[in-house]
PDB file of all heavy atoms in Angstrom:
ATOM      1  N   CYS H 377       2.882  58.846  20.238  1.00  0.00           N
ATOM      2  CA  CYS H 377       4.000  58.975  19.279  1.00  0.00           C
ATOM      3  C   CYS H 377       5.292  59.365  20.018  1.00  0.00           C
ATOM      4  O   CYS H 377       5.372  60.329  20.805  1.00  0.00           O
ATOM      5  CB  CYS H 377       3.670  60.006  18.210  1.00  0.00           C
ATOM      6  SG  CYS H 377       5.015  60.300  17.069  1.00  0.00           S
ATOM      7  N   CYS H 380       6.556  63.117  18.584  1.00  0.00           N
ATOM      8  CA  CYS H 380       5.914  64.321  18.866  1.00  0.00           C
ATOM      9  C   CYS H 380       5.029  64.302  20.076  1.00  0.00           C
ATOM     10  O   CYS H 380       4.553  65.350  20.578  1.00  0.00           O
ATOM     11  CB  CYS H 380       5.089  64.791  17.615  1.00  0.00           C
ATOM     12  SG  CYS H 380       3.622  63.760  17.435  1.00  0.00           S
ATOM     13  N   CYS H 395       2.018  58.383  12.459  1.00  0.00           N
ATOM     14  CA  CYS H 395       1.616  59.686  13.054  1.00  0.00           C
ATOM     15  C   CYS H 395       1.549  60.843  11.993  1.00  0.00           C
ATOM     16  O   CYS H 395       2.403  60.791  11.006  1.00  0.00           O
ATOM     17  CB  CYS H 395       2.540  60.061  14.194  1.00  0.00           C
ATOM     18  SG  CYS H 395       2.069  61.537  15.078  1.00  0.00           S
ATOM     19  N   CYS H 397       2.802  63.542  12.294  1.00  0.00           N
ATOM     20  CA  CYS H 397       4.097  64.242  12.284  1.00  0.00           C
ATOM     21  C   CYS H 397       5.095  63.631  11.321  1.00  0.00           C
ATOM     22  O   CYS H 397       6.215  64.113  11.131  1.00  0.00           O
ATOM     23  CB  CYS H 397       4.722  64.267  13.668  1.00  0.00           C
ATOM     24  SG  CYS H 397       5.518  62.683  14.178  1.00  0.00           S
TER      25      CYS H 397
HETATM   26 ZN1  LIG X 501       4.106  62.092  15.889  1.00  0.00          ZN
END
Side-chain angles (χ1 to χ4, degrees):
C377 177
C380 71
C395 183
C397 76

